Amino acid sequence: MKNLKLYWLAFNTSLQAKFEYRVDFLLGVLTSCMLQLSALAQLWIIFHQTHGLNGWIPDQVILLFGMTAMALGLSELFFNHIWMVPGYIVMGDLDRLLTYPVNSLYFLLITKPELHAFGNLITGLVLTVIALFHLNAPWYAWVLFPILAISGCLIYTAALVIFAALSFRYIGPSSMHLMIPHALLNATRYPISIYPQFMQLIVLILVPYGVFHYLPASFLFGKDPSFWMIFVTPLAALLFFWESGCVWRWGLNQYESTGS
């Protein structure tokens, strides 16, 4: 409980400091909303040329868009600090964190929230609600979609942690390799079934993004009758997050500091 209070205090302090810059907050939210809407405009162009993507109609794909944006927004709001790890390793700033009497990974994750996350959250929530309304989704879909969004946040964050942990072994100041899990998440805005088999294996097994929205949506829309898909999502999220913690500890064992 003491650690939980400490984590909350650190997160809340960082969040309040961010809110001091109101113009920056508004511009960040506006920019993230525009980025999501520009991706949605690309989807509109696609459906202007075709009526469906491998059997998925526009509202169904919009649901995938919304769930992806919500997972991204939640991760940016609560766990965005992971993007700074490569620079911290090079500059030696990580040493200070390792002296704290807390779990280094958890404390690092929560201590630099990004307020432009609200733009992704709002856009994702609006798109998801609109899609569920248009699709006449059953009541349990409304109950499940917040759980699925949180699971997506954990899966995306876990992928970032795994790639960030590689920075301990392959040292460099750039965080460009963290764009790989980010690009994979954006790819799952579209139905995974449209991709080649090897790509489907990557986003369903190796980096299981499809577990939090594609598989449950497949059941919801009658594309796959496997009811278990709904229950496997939170389990897969927790398991993948646990695996990322193991990789993080492996990375720490490789860490040799800057020597200065």
Side-chain angles (χ1 to χ4, degrees):
M1 289 300 297
K2 289 183 179 179
N3 282 343
L4 288 177
K5 291 180 180 178
L6 180 60
Y7 294 147
W8 168 248
L9 178 61
F11 171 76
N12 189 51
T13 301
S14 299
L15 191 64
Q16 294 300 321
K18 287 281 186 177
F19 273 122
E20 291 292 327
Y21 303 94
R22 298 179 182 179
V23 175
D24 183 62
F25 167 64
L26 293 175
L27 289 176
V29 170
L30 179 61
T31 300
S32 58
C33 286
M34 291 177 64
L35 287 173
Q36 291 293 338
L37 292 177
S38 65
L40 194 63
Q42 182 179 0
L43 179 65
W44 179 84
I45 294 173
I46 292 173
F47 280 112
H48 190 68
Q49 304 296 325
T50 181
H51 296 294
L53 290 175
N54 201 24
W56 290 70
I57 62 175
D59 284 326
Q60 294 172 347
V61 180
I62 287 175
L63 179 63
L64 299 181
F65 258 68
M67 295 296 293
T68 302
M70 289 187 65
L72 175 63
L74 287 171
S75 179
E76 289 176 333
L77 180 59
F78 293 104
F79 308 124
N80 195 71
H81 208 179
I82 193 67
W83 286 84
M84 308 301 172
V85 168
Y88 285 177
I89 291 174
V90 172
M91 299 302 295
D93 293 334
L94 197 66
D95 295 1
R96 176 169 50 87
L97 172 64
L98 296 179
T99 64
Y100 295 166
V102 294
N103 184 294
S104 61
L105 175 59
Y106 299 156
F107 192 78
L108 173 74
L109 286 174
I110 64 171
T111 46
K112 193 171 183 180
E114 283 295 340
L115 298 187
H116 68 251
F118 287 104
N120 291 321
L121 274 173
I122 293 170
T123 307
L125 179 61
V126 170
L127 291 177
T128 301
V129 170
I130 290 175
L132 290 175
F133 265 118
H134 286 179
L135 294 167
N136 296 316
W139 64 269
Y140 58 83
W142 293 92
V143 175
L144 285 172
F145 95 80
I147 300 174
L148 299 178
I150 294 173
S151 298
C153 165
L154 292 178
I155 292 172
Y156 174 59
T157 302
L160 291 176
V161 170
I162 290 173
F163 276 81
L166 297 177
S167 301
F168 290 110
R169 183 64 179 84
Y170 307 101
I171 298 175
S174 174
S175 60
M176 290 303 295
H177 56 292
L178 292 177
M179 291 301 297
I180 296 175
H182 182 72
L184 287 174
L185 179 69
N186 286 337
T188 61
R189 291 169 170 173
Y190 301 95
I192 294 173
S193 58
I194 69 174
Y195 296 114
Q197 192 70 31
F198 79 92
M199 183 67 173
Q200 295 184 36
L201 292 175
I202 290 174
V203 295
L204 286 174
I205 298 177
L206 293 181
V207 186
Y209 290 144
V211 173
F212 85 88
H213 60 351
Y214 174 75
L215 293 184
S218 296
F219 168 77
L220 179 64
F221 303 141
K223 302 179 184 299
D224 192 312
S226 302
F227 186 70
W228 61 269
M229 291 181 178
I230 294 178
F231 297 100
V232 78
T233 299
L235 295 177
L238 292 175
L239 176 61
F240 194 52
F241 199 82
W242 174 80
E243 290 175 355
S244 71
C246 294
V247 176
W248 177 263
R249 288 190 291 274
W250 167 85
L252 286 179
N253 290 332
Q254 312 298 313
Y255 183 54
E256 298 178 352
S257 188
T258 59
S260 59

